[in-house]
Short mmCIF file of all heavy atoms in Angstrom, two decimals:
data_model
loop_
_atom_site.label_atom_id
_atom_site.label_comp_id
_atom_site.label_asym_id
_atom_site.label_seq_id
_atom_site.Cartn_x
_atom_site.Cartn_y
_atom_site.Cartn_z
N GLU A 91 45.43 -24.18 -87.85
CA GLU A 91 44.17 -24.53 -87.20
C GLU A 91 43.50 -23.29 -86.62
O GLU A 91 44.16 -22.42 -86.07
CB GLU A 91 44.45 -25.54 -86.07
CG GLU A 91 43.23 -26.10 -85.43
CD GLU A 91 43.56 -27.22 -84.45
OE1 GLU A 91 44.72 -27.66 -84.36
OE2 GLU A 91 42.62 -27.65 -83.76
N TYR A 92 42.18 -23.25 -86.77
CA TYR A 92 41.37 -22.17 -86.20
C TYR A 92 40.72 -22.68 -84.93
O TYR A 92 40.20 -23.79 -84.88
CB TYR A 92 40.30 -21.72 -87.18
CG TYR A 92 39.23 -20.86 -86.53
CD1 TYR A 92 39.53 -19.59 -86.07
CD2 TYR A 92 37.94 -21.34 -86.34
CE1 TYR A 92 38.57 -18.80 -85.46
CE2 TYR A 92 36.97 -20.56 -85.73
CZ TYR A 92 37.29 -19.30 -85.29
OH TYR A 92 36.35 -18.53 -84.67
N GLU A 93 40.77 -21.86 -83.89
CA GLU A 93 40.05 -22.16 -82.65
C GLU A 93 39.34 -20.92 -82.17
O GLU A 93 39.91 -19.83 -82.15
CB GLU A 93 41.02 -22.62 -81.55
CG GLU A 93 41.59 -23.99 -81.76
CD GLU A 93 42.46 -24.45 -80.61
OE1 GLU A 93 42.34 -23.89 -79.49
OE2 GLU A 93 43.29 -25.35 -80.83
N ARG A 94 38.09 -21.09 -81.82
CA ARG A 94 37.31 -20.00 -81.23
C ARG A 94 37.63 -19.98 -79.74
O ARG A 94 37.62 -21.02 -79.09
CB ARG A 94 35.83 -20.24 -81.46
CG ARG A 94 34.98 -19.09 -81.00
CD ARG A 94 33.65 -19.09 -81.75
NE ARG A 94 32.88 -17.93 -81.44
CZ ARG A 94 33.04 -16.74 -81.97
NH1 ARG A 94 33.95 -16.55 -82.90
NH2 ARG A 94 32.30 -15.71 -81.63
N ILE A 95 37.94 -18.80 -79.21
CA ILE A 95 38.29 -18.67 -77.80
C ILE A 95 37.49 -17.54 -77.16
O ILE A 95 36.95 -16.68 -77.86
CB ILE A 95 39.80 -18.39 -77.62
CG1 ILE A 95 40.20 -17.07 -78.31
CG2 ILE A 95 40.64 -19.55 -78.09
CD1 ILE A 95 41.56 -16.56 -77.93
N TYR A 96 37.46 -17.56 -75.86
CA TYR A 96 36.87 -16.46 -75.09
C TYR A 96 37.99 -15.50 -74.70
O TYR A 96 39.16 -15.89 -74.64
CB TYR A 96 36.19 -16.99 -73.83
CG TYR A 96 35.02 -17.87 -74.13
CD1 TYR A 96 35.10 -19.25 -73.98
CD2 TYR A 96 33.81 -17.32 -74.57
CE1 TYR A 96 34.01 -20.07 -74.27
CE2 TYR A 96 32.73 -18.13 -74.87
CZ TYR A 96 32.83 -19.50 -74.71
OH TYR A 96 31.75 -20.29 -75.01
N SER A 97 37.64 -14.26 -74.41
CA SER A 97 38.67 -13.26 -74.10
C SER A 97 39.52 -13.66 -72.89
O SER A 97 40.71 -13.38 -72.86
CB SER A 97 38.05 -11.89 -73.89
OG SER A 97 37.14 -11.92 -72.83
N TYR A 98 38.94 -14.35 -71.93
CA TYR A 98 39.73 -14.75 -70.75
C TYR A 98 40.70 -15.89 -71.07
O TYR A 98 41.59 -16.19 -70.29
CB TYR A 98 38.82 -15.13 -69.58
CG TYR A 98 37.95 -16.34 -69.81
CD1 TYR A 98 38.44 -17.63 -69.62
CD2 TYR A 98 36.62 -16.20 -70.20
CE1 TYR A 98 37.65 -18.74 -69.82
CE2 TYR A 98 35.81 -17.31 -70.40
CZ TYR A 98 36.33 -18.57 -70.21
OH TYR A 98 35.53 -19.67 -70.41
N GLU A 99 40.56 -16.51 -72.25
CA GLU A 99 41.47 -17.59 -72.65
C GLU A 99 42.67 -17.06 -73.45
O GLU A 99 43.54 -17.82 -73.84
CB GLU A 99 40.74 -18.61 -73.53
CG GLU A 99 39.66 -19.35 -72.81
CD GLU A 99 38.88 -20.28 -73.73
OE1 GLU A 99 38.47 -19.83 -74.82
OE2 GLU A 99 38.70 -21.44 -73.36
N ARG A 100 42.70 -15.77 -73.68
CA ARG A 100 43.76 -15.17 -74.49
C ARG A 100 45.11 -15.37 -73.83
O ARG A 100 45.30 -15.11 -72.65
CB ARG A 100 43.47 -13.67 -74.64
CG ARG A 100 44.43 -12.93 -75.50
CD ARG A 100 43.91 -11.54 -75.72
NE ARG A 100 44.98 -10.67 -76.19
CZ ARG A 100 44.79 -9.44 -76.61
NH1 ARG A 100 43.60 -8.92 -76.60
NH2 ARG A 100 45.80 -8.72 -77.02
N ASP A 101 46.06 -15.86 -74.61
CA ASP A 101 47.42 -16.07 -74.12
C ASP A 101 48.11 -14.73 -73.88
O ASP A 101 47.81 -13.74 -74.54
CB ASP A 101 48.25 -16.86 -75.14
CG ASP A 101 47.89 -18.32 -75.20
OD1 ASP A 101 47.26 -18.82 -74.26
OD2 ASP A 101 48.23 -18.97 -76.20
N ALA A 102 49.05 -14.74 -72.97
CA ALA A 102 49.86 -13.54 -72.76
C ALA A 102 50.76 -13.35 -73.98
O ALA A 102 51.18 -14.32 -74.62
CB ALA A 102 50.71 -13.72 -71.51
N ALA A 103 51.02 -12.11 -74.30
CA ALA A 103 51.87 -11.82 -75.45
C ALA A 103 53.26 -12.41 -75.22
O ALA A 103 53.81 -12.34 -74.14
CB ALA A 103 51.97 -10.32 -75.66
N ASP A 104 53.79 -13.03 -76.26
CA ASP A 104 55.17 -13.51 -76.23
C ASP A 104 55.74 -13.45 -77.64
O ASP A 104 55.09 -12.95 -78.56
CB ASP A 104 55.28 -14.90 -75.60
CG ASP A 104 54.72 -16.03 -76.47
OD1 ASP A 104 54.54 -15.84 -77.68
OD2 ASP A 104 54.47 -17.11 -75.93
N LYS A 105 56.92 -13.98 -77.84
CA LYS A 105 57.62 -13.83 -79.12
C LYS A 105 56.94 -14.55 -80.28
O LYS A 105 57.19 -14.25 -81.44
CB LYS A 105 59.06 -14.28 -78.99
CG LYS A 105 59.22 -15.77 -78.74
CD LYS A 105 60.68 -16.13 -78.58
CE LYS A 105 60.81 -17.64 -78.40
NZ LYS A 105 62.21 -18.02 -78.34
N THR A 106 56.06 -15.52 -80.00
CA THR A 106 55.43 -16.31 -81.06
C THR A 106 54.02 -15.85 -81.41
O THR A 106 53.35 -16.47 -82.23
CB THR A 106 55.36 -17.80 -80.66
OG1 THR A 106 54.47 -17.94 -79.54
CG2 THR A 106 56.72 -18.34 -80.30
N ILE A 107 53.56 -14.77 -80.81
CA ILE A 107 52.18 -14.31 -80.98
C ILE A 107 52.15 -12.96 -81.70
O ILE A 107 52.94 -12.07 -81.40
CB ILE A 107 51.47 -14.21 -79.62
CG1 ILE A 107 51.25 -15.60 -79.05
CG2 ILE A 107 50.18 -13.43 -79.72
CD1 ILE A 107 50.65 -15.64 -77.68
N TYR A 108 51.20 -12.86 -82.65
CA TYR A 108 50.96 -11.58 -83.32
C TYR A 108 49.46 -11.34 -83.32
O TYR A 108 48.69 -12.16 -83.81
CB TYR A 108 51.50 -11.59 -84.75
CG TYR A 108 51.62 -10.19 -85.30
CD1 TYR A 108 52.74 -9.42 -85.02
CD2 TYR A 108 50.60 -9.63 -86.06
CE1 TYR A 108 52.85 -8.12 -85.51
CE2 TYR A 108 50.72 -8.33 -86.55
CZ TYR A 108 51.84 -7.59 -86.27
OH TYR A 108 51.94 -6.31 -86.73
N PHE A 109 49.04 -10.22 -82.74
CA PHE A 109 47.62 -9.88 -82.68
C PHE A 109 47.14 -9.42 -84.05
O PHE A 109 47.83 -8.67 -84.73
CB PHE A 109 47.38 -8.80 -81.62
CG PHE A 109 47.72 -9.26 -80.24
CD1 PHE A 109 48.87 -8.81 -79.61
CD2 PHE A 109 46.91 -10.17 -79.58
CE1 PHE A 109 49.21 -9.26 -78.34
CE2 PHE A 109 47.25 -10.64 -78.31
CZ PHE A 109 48.40 -10.18 -77.70
#
Side-chain angles (χ1 to χ4, degrees):
E91 187 172 353
Y92 166 69
E93 288 184 20
R94 186 156 186 81
I95 61 167
Y96 296 105
S97 60
Y98 65 83
E99 295 176 312
R100 182 171 163 173
D101 286 342
D104 71 18
K105 67 182 183 176
T106 66
I107 290 176
Y108 197 83
F109 297 106

